[in-house]
Amino acid sequence: MPSSNLSNRPRILFLGTDILYNPSIYKRLVSQFDIIQPPLKDLRREPFMQHLRDGTWGDFQAIMRPSWHSGNEMERWDRETIELLPKGLKVFASAGAGYDWVDTACLAEHGILYCNGAGASTEAVGDMALHHIISVFRNMNQSAAAARSLDRETFLDAHHHIPATSRNPRNHKLGIIGLGQIGFVVAQKAYMACGMKILYHDIVRKPLDQEQSVQATYFENLDEMLRETDCLVLATPSSFSGRPFLTAEIIALLPRGARFVNIARGSLVDEDALANALEEGHLAAAALDVHAHEPRVCERFVKMENVLLTSHTGGGVVETRDGFERLAMENVERVLLGGEALTPVNKHLMRTKEGSAAVNGHGVVNGNTNGHGHSSATGEEEGVDGSSPA
């Protein structure tokens, strides 16, 4: 793949492994831009920052990372890193729906548009959420563990006693924090497949026709929704600060015996507070696809039969990887050619010298992004804590 720039064409810094699913789009990029693809060993934080200081890759106008599991994904893109980027950089497009690892506000301050993989993982994460919801109502984790134990008494104990604490999800109230693309798909699946009653809280209320399609009830006041919720699902983004949303105070507002599901970000949860609530019986069960200190999982949860744990694989399907790859390339292409990005995250934070929101000279309709303002920069997940959208 090209790694030098001998023309005046815009230059793209390509982070990660070779394109796997969309070679025709990559071929189109190669025909229009000069692409530099550093070796993976140069993408860890310290060597990457040193290359930026040394100007190894010259001035580049775009960064794209089409796949998540390569390069610098386990490092934080903070102010120290961002201030080393070329002054002419216009856009950074990455795989992944969540972006708590990158300071999008700092990028905006430097005139850099950040684009994520919003939409690519929606269906997969929605399916995982439904699996987790059913699991916490039906004690699936305990049942599966008992079957795998190969122990006769453990199997019979589960067979006889699990029904006493299991419930059908139907007619129970599902409280969703953040009704963005993922949150809404979770609502659709839970409503249509399980007959659950949908409650939601968001800083932006959804259109009436969208609410009516799942018979959703909007709660402007979060505390009021929590008091009525049988199962709480987090589908909201985490901020770069990593401040938790689910605290002991929030948990206390849930009815005794409520369930909890997190398919958003682990940093949104005070894990000790959640473990305490489970041990004390205030919460009946929990299911977590994401964890506060990945890849380390809280040992207290591991010991609990009423906690389902998965390895942040909510979006982990081929279709998601295909979509992430495509969006990263198409976002970069659109911006470099003077068009509008498909999945801008921080566009609403960017300002021109005149004080109006813009990206590289492109205005923002109504001063926000996608018509949703501060709460839904991409439409992937809604912000309820003052952050933009995992």
Side-chain angles (χ1 to χ4, degrees):
M1 293 186 179
S3 60
S4 61
N5 181 31
L6 302 177
S7 69
N8 292 321
R9 302 191 305 175
R11 179 181 292 183
I12 299 171
L13 186 65
F14 175 1
L15 307 181
T17 54
D18 292 349
I19 297 301
L20 182 61
Y21 302 103
N22 297 276
S24 62
I25 299 177
Y26 184 74
K27 184 177 181 180
R28 192 170 72 222
L29 291 185
V30 170
S31 72
Q32 301 173 90
F33 313 110
D34 290 316
I35 300 177
I36 303 171
Q37 186 181 8
L40 296 181
K41 65 181 178 62
D42 291 342
L43 302 187
R44 305 308 301 179
R45 181 179 176 87
E46 290 307 320
F48 182 74
M49 291 175 66
Q50 189 58 52
H51 280 297
L52 291 176
R53 294 187 190 98
D54 296 341
T56 303
W57 305 306
D59 291 327
F60 45 90
Q61 290 70 50
I63 298 174
M64 71 175 188
R65 182 172 59 187
S67 58
W68 183 248
H69 296 284
S70 63
N72 203 30
E73 68 269 9
M74 295 305 291
E75 305 284 356
R76 288 168 66 82
W77 282 64
D78 53 15
R79 181 172 294 275
E80 185 182 8
T81 302
I82 292 168
E83 290 186 343
L84 295 174
L85 296 171
K87 303 301 182 185
L89 181 62
K90 297 180 178 181
V91 59
F92 178 7
S94 176
Y99 48 83
D100 49 333
W101 52 273
V102 59
D103 190 340
T104 56
C106 185
L107 285 175
E109 180 185 323
H110 287 75
I112 303 167
L113 180 68
Y114 180 75
C115 302
N116 69 349
S121 61
T122 300
E123 185 70 16
V125 177
D127 287 343
M128 180 67 85
L130 184 62
H131 166 68
H132 279 53
I133 291 166
I134 294 173
S135 293
V136 295
F137 276 96
R138 295 295 309 275
N139 293 312
M140 293 298 192
N141 186 59
Q142 181 183 356
S143 181
R148 288 179 176 276
S149 72
L150 301 179
D151 180 77
R152 180 179 183 276
E153 295 305 318
T154 302
F155 182 98
L156 290 175
D157 180 72
H159 177 71
H160 291 303
H161 293 105
I162 282 178
T165 57
S166 294
R167 302 293 298 274
N168 288 327
R170 183 171 298 277
N171 293 324
H172 282 85
K173 296 176 181 178
L174 184 71
I176 302 175
I177 306 294
L179 206 71
Q181 287 188 24
I182 288 176
F184 183 63
V185 166
V186 173
Q188 286 180 312
K189 292 177 183 293
Y191 173 73
M192 292 188 287
C194 298
M196 299 190 77
K197 297 177 180 179
I198 306 301
L199 320 178
Y200 80 97
H201 170 76
D202 205 309
I203 59 176
V204 175
R205 184 171 183 173
K206 300 306 165 189
L208 184 60
D209 60 341
Q210 185 176 355
E211 290 183 346
Q212 290 179 338
S213 68
V214 291
Q215 296 296 301
T217 300
Y218 173 67
F219 285 79
E220 183 175 3
N221 185 290
L222 173 61
D223 292 3
E224 292 179 4
M225 188 195 81
L226 292 172
R227 292 188 182 101
E228 293 193 28
T229 295
D230 296 314
C231 180
L232 182 67
V233 175
L234 288 189
T236 189
S238 175
S239 66
F240 188 69
S241 68
R243 185 176 74 250
F245 166 79
L246 192 82
T247 61
E249 292 75 20
I250 291 292
I251 294 171
L253 294 171
L254 292 166
R256 186 172 184 82
R259 280 109 170 143
F260 173 68
V261 170
N262 188 10
I263 44 83
R265 276 294 182 267
S267 58
L268 288 167
V269 174
D270 180 334
E271 293 188 333
D272 283 330
L274 176 58
N276 290 341
L278 289 160
E279 289 175 349
E280 294 164 4
H282 184 75
L283 294 182
L288 311 171
D289 183 52
V290 288
H291 311 275
H293 304 289
E294 294 179 9
R296 182 170 63 83
V297 175
C298 176
E299 292 184 12
R300 295 177 69 185
F301 295 146
V302 174
K303 299 174 183 178
M304 297 179 182
E305 290 184 330
N306 57 341
V307 178
L308 174 68
L309 302 169
T310 50
S311 303
H312 198 152
T313 52
V317 296
V318 169
E319 290 85 352
T320 296
R321 289 189 170 188
D322 184 327
F324 282 164
E325 192 180 87
R326 175 180 53 78
L327 282 169
M329 291 189 288
E330 290 184 346
N331 273 309
V332 163
E333 180 182 38
R334 281 171 169 256
V335 172
L336 291 182
L337 294 179
E340 294 291 334
L342 293 169
T343 56
V345 167
N346 62 346
K347 190 173 182 179
H348 61 296
L349 300 176
M350 302 180 75
R351 300 287 167 181
T352 65
K353 291 181 180 179
E354 291 73 25
S356 60
V359 179
N360 305 320
H362 304 297
V364 184
V365 179
N366 297 325
N368 60 41
T369 306
N370 295 339
H372 297 298
H374 191 62
S375 70
S376 182
T378 65
E380 179 67 22
E381 299 165 318
E382 302 293 340
V384 297
D385 60 355
S387 66
S388 297

